[in-house]
Structure formats: structure tokens, C-alpha cells
Amino acid sequence: MTLDFGTGKNSLTSIFGEYCFSDSVMKERLPKDIYKELKKVRQGDKKLSLEVANVVANTMKDWAIEKGATHFTHWFQPLTGLTAEKHDSFISPVGDGTVIMEFSGKELVQGEPDASSFPNGGLRETFEARGYTAWDVSSPAFLKADKTGLTLAIPTAFFSYTGEALDKKVPLLRSMEAVEKQALRLIKALGNTTSKKISVTVGPEQEYFLVEKKLFEARPDLKFAGRTVFGSMPVKGQEMEDHYFGAINERVTAFMAELNYELWKLGITAKTQHNEVAPNQFELAIIFDTANVSTDTNQLVMEMMKKLALRHDLVALLHEKPFAGVNGSGKHNNWSIATDDGINLLNPGSTPSDNSQFLIFTSAVIKAIDMYAPLLRASAANAGNDHRLGGNEAPPAIISMFLGDQLTEIFEGVAEGKKVESKDGQSLKLGANAIPDLPKDLTDRNRTSPFAFTGNKFEFRMVGSSQSLAGPNVVINTAVADILGEFADILEKATDLPKAIEKIVGETYKNHKRIIFNGNGYSPEWEIEAKKRGLANLRSTVEAVPEFIKDYTVKLFEKHGVFSKKELHSRYDIYLEEYAKRINIEAGLAVQMVSRNILPAVNEYLISLCEGVNSVKSVSGVASKAQVKLIEKISSEFEKMIELCEKLDAIHDGAEKISEVYEKAVYFRNQVIPAMENLREVVDGLEKLCDEDVWPFPSYAELLFNM
Ligand code: ADP
Ligand code: MG
């Protein structure tokens, strides 16, 4: 496929958003009064009436049919972390053997997918296994293209008959409302009379690997678990780091060009692409939008990556750790809060009042992250991410925040009464003079911090590459909303505003500065230091997920109407089950790959080596010592492998006897995973001892360096 954008109809600006029922399309196609009404609905100021829904549905249908669509679907995000859809065609029989194309307001607004098979963690009893999808008016409808044609996709929220959230979107929307409510109170207390709306903004950066399709097909572990359960690093590894920002291979460039093209058509702002640290690892950044739109588009980005890679005989791997010993993949969640009149509340600004607002909001983030760090860690927990966080070769799973030297100094100054120079060279007084400019360039960046201030936003870097952005943002939003509300309580009553602000900023910093760490988060010293500071270090999913049902969590989420206790328990169950399921698959694959492929291959190799010894002996009269030594080494490792494989098999079988979800997850973590690791060590050692051609699976060298 050649992409020649040219000018006019083919220009990028014309193609952009061609498949998106965007605000501009609505403005152009809807009657003026309906457009205005809908806008109010989208801003949350009004409820959607059936009358408006009918007109919108009809317009949407006409637009979709003009582009070639025949079907529509309510597109939703069940707790699997993936997306789901059920397609219906627009056709409606009129009774004379012909059909017309119809799409009603009711069909647009609400659907009832047969969704009893989605995980719900006990939220829906089987006798009322009904779930409803409801149009999320704040996220635009779009056209999904596949081999069979175009489908009008309507982003929807998915909930149960009794109103419980069965998906990732409902809590996200609730948490955004919580931020809006508390932040509006706070800016009002600070004297802002112009802003009417507030939204959370999120800009995701998505990391992924690409591998050759035919090699992928030859690795059952990659195919069924998304990661290699065996494989040893070739000599030329990541230590060279020459891949990072290196020239991108042409085949990959072709894939990226097509990906960009398809994303642009959907109105998704694919912006930056580059090589990542590891070989065959890449990243795509999308320009920020409101948190729920970004969450939706990120799901589409992942889906498109997988689909389009196949067209180039490549497979996109979204697993957090496809290869041991090689950098894993994450998803950076850039987060901020913005007003409807264009104020970024985490922008330091240049005037004393902008500065106060910035310091108050930043203080709220500091306090929120310190107080809810274990919960935030839990929001990034899954079986894949355990290899990145707290794993053998990864940064620790400790949440800390990077502010940079200059901003830290300002906070220190306010908190400890230390002298900080203001912009005009005087001693800084909040509300009276301006803080010095904070550096925005890359020199002050810290890439090892899990939660870093990057000029006018925070970047949460723990999120796993395969995860939905919803989970982490629900936690950040609700935690921050909680503290914003607390600050608003104080400032609404304050008689001396500058003094009250200074007190909040100072006290917050003093009480929560243990979470600030500007040093190297990957160093072993940090783990020791963090422990001294009392920061949590939850090394695995099994340790992290119980945070979801602790009292402090239930209290936080219930207070802001984001999750009920019951909804939290359902997430706890589902996440632990999901964890156990994944390790279960991996363990099964490991046993199978050894017994069906590796064992026979090594066995044959041993036989051929022995035959070699005999042939040499028959000619020279003596056995070659080197050959015998190699045979002895391989056969002793071979024995060990068989023994460890049997052991893993038995331990793995033991999991079946456990039914309680937490106990089961713990068993996988403490028994099955170590048994898998022990087996892997021997298998990977054998791979190095055997002839390349003998090994039954493509090696890391082929998987990572073939393009
Ligand atoms: P880098 O981290 O490489 O310097 P950028 O600063 O351009 O890159 O941004 C990285 C991501 O952060 C992008 O997705 C960008 O859209 C997003 N971003 C920028 N500003 C905001 C904001 N106010 N809120 C949320 N995300 C933002
Ligand atoms: Mg980044």
C-alpha cells in the first residue's frame, strides 16, 4: 500500500476523521437546535431526550450508510480489559419483501447484548444475566472497518440490571465527575469565576513489540500466552542500546504508515512514533484528550496495531514482557486537569495567582499519590506487569514522585521557611510574587520515576502495555478528587486566602514529602531508602490486588460514588481469577513445550552425538574427550529438565484442588511460578548447549534481530 496524501480530497487534513462522527460532522449534519441540545447533553448539562436521540440516530445512520456501513454495534469494555461488540444490521422489513434502513433513537441510546459470559465477579446472578449498554455521549461514534465492510460503532457504558458497573468505562466516567465537582469548588474558592467545566486530560504513549508472523506461529508460548516462557538472550542484546531512536526498518515503517493512516481516518491523533529501548520494540504516542476519549482511543490503537501488523506479516505483541532479559513494554499515562476555558491546572504559569493555583493542585496530587500509593500500584497490576514491576530485572514496584530539583526547592521553601528566590530576585512569597520558571526541556527529566512531573502534567509510567487506561485513571482521579475536596473545604472558609494557601502547600509537602524522590528509581539503594520512608513495595499482583477491598479503598470510592463495596469485590475476584488463569496457561504451555518438542529434540540430538563419538572412535580408535564431555553435560541437564518438568506438572495439577480465588492466586504465585522459573533456567541452558538447528523453536536471536 502506498500512501500518497497529496492535496485536496487526498490531503491528510481531509482524510483525518473521515470515519469519526465528530463534533464537526454533527455540527454540519444535525439541525441547529438538535446540535445545540446534544452539545448540552455531551457537556453533562441535560438529559438526552428520545426526540433528540431519534434525530441523532437517523443522522448517524445516514452518515454511516453514505460511507458504506451496513451494521451498527454498541462497543463496550467489559472487565476482560478488551473490547466487545455485537453487530446488528440497519435493515428493517416493511412487509412486502423489501427492507428499509433504520436506526432508532432507542437503538442508539440503549442496547442489551447477550453478555452473560463476560466476567462480572458475582455482580449478575445467572437468573438475571442481563447487562445493558448505554451510549456514552462524550465519546464520538466511529466506523470500524474490517474485511466484511464498515460498522457504525457506538461507544457505550455497560452495567447490570440493578445499575452496577460491569465495565471499565462507568467507574471512569464517575471518577471524572468526582474530579470535576471538587476541582470546580477549589478554583472557585481560589477566585476563578469564568471556568464552568473541568475535565481530566490523558495522553497515552503505547509501547509494543513487532515479531515476524511465521516465527510467532512457531512459538506456542507467544501464540497462547503472549510471552515466551523459554528462550535465552543472544549475545548482542539490549546493552548496546543502539535501537533506541535508531532508524526504523522499512517494513516496520510501512506498518506504521498504515497504522497512522487508519488511526487518522478514525480521528485519532497519532503523533509520535519511534524505536524503543529493546530491539524490535516501538512506541506510539497519541495527543491528549479527555480521559475517557483517550481510554477509548487507546483500546482502538491496540486493536489496530494487532490487526494491521498482520497485513505486513508481522505480529504486534502488547504483552508487558514478551522476552526475558529484554526491556518490557508499558503505557505512559500523561495526566492533567483542564478547564473548559483552556486553563491547565497543573501549568505553573507566570503570575503569582497562576502559581498559587498550580501549587495547590500539585499539592493535592502529591498528597493523593502518597496516601493512595498502594491502590495506584494495584491499578497497574496484572500477571504480565509483574515481570516489569518488582521482577528480577525490573524497577521496583514502589510508587514515588519526581518533581525535579527546582520545584522541590520551591516546595521545601514554602514548607520549611527556607529562602527561595522569586522570579524578580526577591524572597518568594506566595500570592505576592511569581515563582521562577521551571525548566521544560529534557535535561531535567527523570526516566526512572513511576510518577513524574513533566512541566505541566504528571506521567504515570507503571501502567502495563496491555492494560486499559481506565483502571489507573479511576484511581488517580478519585484519589485527587478526594484531596481537592479537602482543600476546597478549607479554602472556602478562609479569610486570608494567600496565607491559607501557603499553609496548605507547606503542610502538605511536610507531611507527604516521603513520596518525593528525584534520584535513580532503578538503583538498589532506592529500595532500601523507600523502605525506611515507609513506602509500600507490593511486588506482585497477588500482593497488590487485595488493596481493592481494604477499608480505606472502600471508603474513598464510596464517598465519591465511583465504586460500591460490591463493585470493588467483583474487581478483586476478577483480577485474581484473571491472574490465576494466565499463569495456568503459561505453566501448561511450559510443560507441553518441553514434553512434546524440547525433550524429543534434545533426545535425538544426544543420540546423534553418541553416534558421532562412535564414528570417531571407529576411525581413530579412541573416543573424543570433548565430545564425551559435551554428551555428559547435555545428558545431565536433560535429566534435570525432565525432573523439573515433572515437578512443575505435579505442582500445576495441585492448583485444581484450590477453589478460593485468593488462595489459588497465591498458589500460582508461590508454587507454580518458581517451578516454572526453575525449569526455564535448565531449558535455557540447554538451548545454549545444543546446535541451533536442533532447537524446536525460533530463538530470541531470530525473534528480535531478524528485521
Ligand atoms: P514527551 O514526554 O516525549 O516530551 P510530550 O510532552 O509531547 O512528550 O507528551 C507526551 C504525551 O503527553 C502526549 O501524549 C501528549 O499529548 C501528552 N500531554 C501533553 N500535555 C498534556 C496534558 N495537559 N494532559 C495530558 N496529557 C498531555
Ligand atoms: Mg513519556
Side-chain angles (χ1 to χ4, degrees):
M1 168 180 182
T2 49
L3 300 172
D4 181 11
F5 288 115
T7 52
K9 230 175 75 195
N10 287 329
S11 71
L12 173 52
T13 46
S14 307
I15 286 160
F16 189 87
E18 194 187 329
Y19 281 179
C20 179
F21 196 70
S22 62
D23 187 63
S24 82
V25 177
M26 290 190 239
K27 195 168 181 176
E28 187 194 310
R29 293 190 171 234
L30 289 170
K32 232 188 198 134
D33 53 326
I34 299 283
Y35 172 75
K36 270 193 194 150
E37 280 284 308
L38 186 64
K39 190 135 198 174
K40 281 185 198 147
V41 175
R42 288 168 60 215
Q43 287 169 342
D45 293 337
K46 246 188 146 163
K47 276 217 146 54
L48 182 65
S49 69
L50 191 59
E51 187 200 337
V52 172
N54 276 329
V55 180
V56 176
N58 199 48
T59 310
M60 237 186 221
K61 177 206 70 188
D62 289 344
W63 170 79
I65 288 174
E66 267 172 44
K67 307 264 179 198
T70 50
H71 287 69
F72 70 92
T73 179
H74 275 202
W75 183 74
F76 60 104
Q77 301 170 31
L79 291 168
T80 52
L82 305 170
T83 58
E85 47 201 69
K86 173 192 149 209
H87 294 200
D88 282 295
S89 75
F90 290 120
I91 60 165
S92 173
V94 286
D96 60 356
T98 63
V99 292
I100 53 166
M101 299 295 254
E102 255 185 356
F103 184 47
S104 71
K106 230 177 106 197
E107 286 171 306
L108 165 65
V109 171
Q110 193 169 38
E112 191 181 339
D114 173 25
S116 49
S117 56
F118 293 114
N120 62 72
L123 280 180
R124 269 175 311 149
E125 316 297 339
T126 7
F127 62 84
E128 50 150 50
R130 271 193 289 183
Y132 292 96
T133 50
W135 182 27
D136 169 15
V137 288
S138 59
S139 185
F142 56 93
L143 292 172
K144 265 189 98 162
D146 57 33
K147 279 199 194 103
T148 57
L150 290 175
T151 299
L152 171 65
I154 298 142
T156 56
F158 181 40
F159 52 90
S160 78
Y161 184 62
T162 42
E164 275 129 353
L166 295 175
D167 71 349
K168 303 234 166 201
K169 191 188 261 284
V170 173
L172 178 63
L173 292 171
R174 291 175 185 161
S175 74
M176 290 170 72
E177 267 173 45
V179 170
E180 171 160 40
K181 187 169 157 197
Q182 304 305 337
L184 274 175
R185 284 180 62 208
L186 190 56
I187 58 169
K188 224 181 198 169
L190 290 170
N192 177 330
T193 53
T194 51
S195 307
K196 301 271 179 293
K197 300 269 157 218
I198 280 183
S199 44
V200 174
T201 54
V202 165
E205 299 164 65
Q206 175 75 47
E207 291 179 339
Y208 62 100
F209 279 88
L210 288 174
V211 294
E212 186 89 43
K213 185 164 171 274
K214 65 174 196 294
L215 300 176
F216 171 88
E217 297 285 351
R219 297 252 358 180
D221 47 359
L222 274 183
K223 228 172 134 177
F224 298 108
R227 80 174 185 99
T228 53
V229 297
F230 301 120
S232 60
M233 223 10 231
V235 183
K236 178 183 169 9
Q238 199 179 320
E239 63 274 11
M240 307 294 286
E241 299 223 341
D242 52 1
H243 184 75
Y244 195 48
F245 290 126
I248 300 175
N249 171 295
E250 251 183 39
R251 202 151 142 222
V252 174
T253 328
F255 156 73
M256 286 178 170
E258 194 172 354
L259 178 63
N260 282 338
Y261 179 77
E262 293 299 331
L263 292 175
W264 288 335
K265 272 210 295 208
L266 285 167
I268 297 174
T269 51
K271 177 80 176 166
T272 317
Q273 64 205 21
H274 60 75
N275 285 5
E276 261 304 324
V277 185
N280 283 359
Q281 191 188 27
F282 308 92
E283 181 191 286
L284 176 66
I286 306 295
I287 296 176
F288 72 96
D289 207 318
T290 58
N292 72 314
V293 169
S294 286
T295 301
D296 285 358
T297 52
N298 181 250
Q299 294 295 135
L300 283 172
V301 165
M302 291 194 286
E303 213 177 297
M304 285 298 203
M305 278 177 171
K306 285 198 216 154
K307 191 163 94 182
L308 297 178
L310 292 175
R311 289 192 198 159
H312 299 260
D313 284 324
L314 298 168
V315 175
L317 303 177
L318 294 169
H319 192 284
E320 285 77 10
K321 195 81 173 178
F323 308 101
V326 178
N327 197 55
S329 295
K331 175 147 35 199
H332 293 174
N333 186 76
N334 294 276
W335 184 97
S336 190
I337 318 177
T339 66
D340 56 341
D341 49 352
I343 305 167
N344 175 352
L345 295 168
L346 292 176
N347 190 347
S350 52
T351 65
S353 77
D354 283 351
N355 294 163
S356 294
Q357 175 181 277
F358 160 69
L359 290 173
I360 275 282
F361 275 86
T362 305
S363 296
V365 179
I366 293 172
K367 182 167 180 180
I369 301 308
D370 184 33
M371 283 182 65
Y372 298 104
L375 187 57
L376 186 58
R377 156 68 181 106
S379 76
N382 70 19
N385 225 10
D386 280 2
H387 297 282
R388 281 179 75 226
L389 310 172
N392 304 331
E393 43 191 83
I398 306 163
I399 303 252
S400 65
M401 286 174 89
F402 168 84
L403 293 182
D405 293 338
Q406 231 162 326
L407 186 54
T408 307
E409 201 182 300
I410 291 167
F411 273 104
E412 289 270 350
V414 180
E416 320 284 350
K418 281 186 200 155
K419 196 175 169 309
V420 178
E421 240 182 52
S422 73
K423 207 171 186 170
D424 49 15
Q426 309 214 298
S427 186
L428 177 69
K429 238 178 115 13
L430 287 194
N433 39 27
I435 61 171
D437 291 330
L438 299 173
K440 281 213 174 74
D441 63 5
L442 291 165
T443 50
D444 197 34
R445 286 281 173 93
N446 178 327
R447 299 209 169 266
T448 65
S449 174
F451 205 97
F453 179 70
T454 52
N456 57 7
K457 62 188 185 289
F458 280 95
E459 183 170 346
F460 182 41
R461 302 187 177 127
M462 262 189 189
V463 188
S465 48
S466 74
Q467 287 188 296
S468 158
L469 284 169
N473 283 300
V474 166
V475 173
I476 302 173
N477 293 349
T478 316
V480 172
D482 192 53
I483 311 302
L484 292 175
E486 214 176 84
F487 290 177
D489 288 343
I490 301 168
L491 294 182
E492 277 167 353
K493 287 189 221 113
T495 44
D496 184 341
L497 198 61
K499 216 167 153 192
I501 292 172
E502 197 159 326
K503 191 160 174 246
I504 289 180
V505 173
E507 277 180 3
T508 304
Y509 185 77
K510 244 189 255 172
N511 295 335
H512 299 282
K513 70 175 183 187
R514 64 168 188 169
I515 197 77
I516 312 295
F517 178 63
N518 293 330
N520 179 4
Y522 293 4
S523 70
E525 295 82 38
W526 168 232
E527 240 181 299
I528 300 163
E529 163 73 14
K531 197 170 176 187
K532 273 195 215 143
R533 294 190 190 187
L535 298 176
N537 187 0
L538 305 171
R539 287 166 207 276
S540 74
T541 301
V542 174
E543 285 150 279
V545 167
E547 297 296 322
F548 281 112
I549 53 168
K550 290 198 173 157
D551 285 345
Y552 79 95
T553 305
V554 177
K555 209 171 134 210
L556 171 75
F557 283 126
E558 289 203 328
K559 181 174 169 194
H560 296 280
V562 173
F563 279 124
S564 66
K565 191 172 177 179
K566 207 168 154 194
E567 287 171 334
L568 284 167
H569 275 266
S570 77
R571 268 77 189 161
Y572 166 86
D573 279 355
I574 288 167
Y575 297 153
L576 289 176
E577 259 168 35
E578 155 87 15
Y579 174 84
K581 256 188 217 160
R582 283 178 62 177
I583 311 295
N584 183 42
I585 292 173
E586 290 178 5
L589 282 164
V591 171
Q592 188 190 308
M593 284 167 76
V594 168
S595 24
R596 286 212 202 143
N597 306 91
I598 298 172
L599 191 152
V602 178
N603 187 43
E604 231 170 86
Y605 184 50
L606 269 173
I607 293 170
S608 77
L609 285 177
C610 293
E611 282 167 5
V613 173
N614 285 337
S615 333
V616 171
K617 203 174 165 189
S618 71
V619 176
S620 68
V622 280
S624 148
K625 268 189 198 149
Q627 279 181 326
V628 172
K629 228 168 135 186
L630 179 64
I631 291 168
E632 278 168 2
K633 177 92 188 125
I634 292 179
S635 74
S636 115
E637 294 303 303
F638 184 66
E639 300 269 338
K640 264 194 230 163
M641 177 180 78
I642 293 172
E643 194 185 305
L644 289 170
C645 186
E646 280 168 359
K647 214 166 171 181
L648 171 61
D649 200 18
I651 291 175
H652 184 206
D653 281 348
E656 266 171 48
K657 293 185 207 94
I658 310 167
S659 55
E660 204 277 322
V661 283
Y662 178 70
E663 260 178 59
K664 194 167 188 139
V666 168
Y667 183 85
F668 274 105
R669 162 87 177 112
N670 293 344
Q671 309 296 327
V672 180
I673 288 181
M676 276 170 67
E677 281 169 354
N678 291 341
L679 174 61
R680 178 173 194 152
E681 209 184 308
V682 175
V683 171
D684 289 359
L686 267 171
E687 186 186 354
K688 286 200 188 105
L689 288 173
C690 290
D691 191 307
E692 240 184 317
D693 300 331
V694 166
W695 206 252
F697 301 111
S699 67
Y700 270 28
E702 289 173 89
L703 288 163
L704 291 163
F705 297 102
N706 71 319
M707 277 193 284

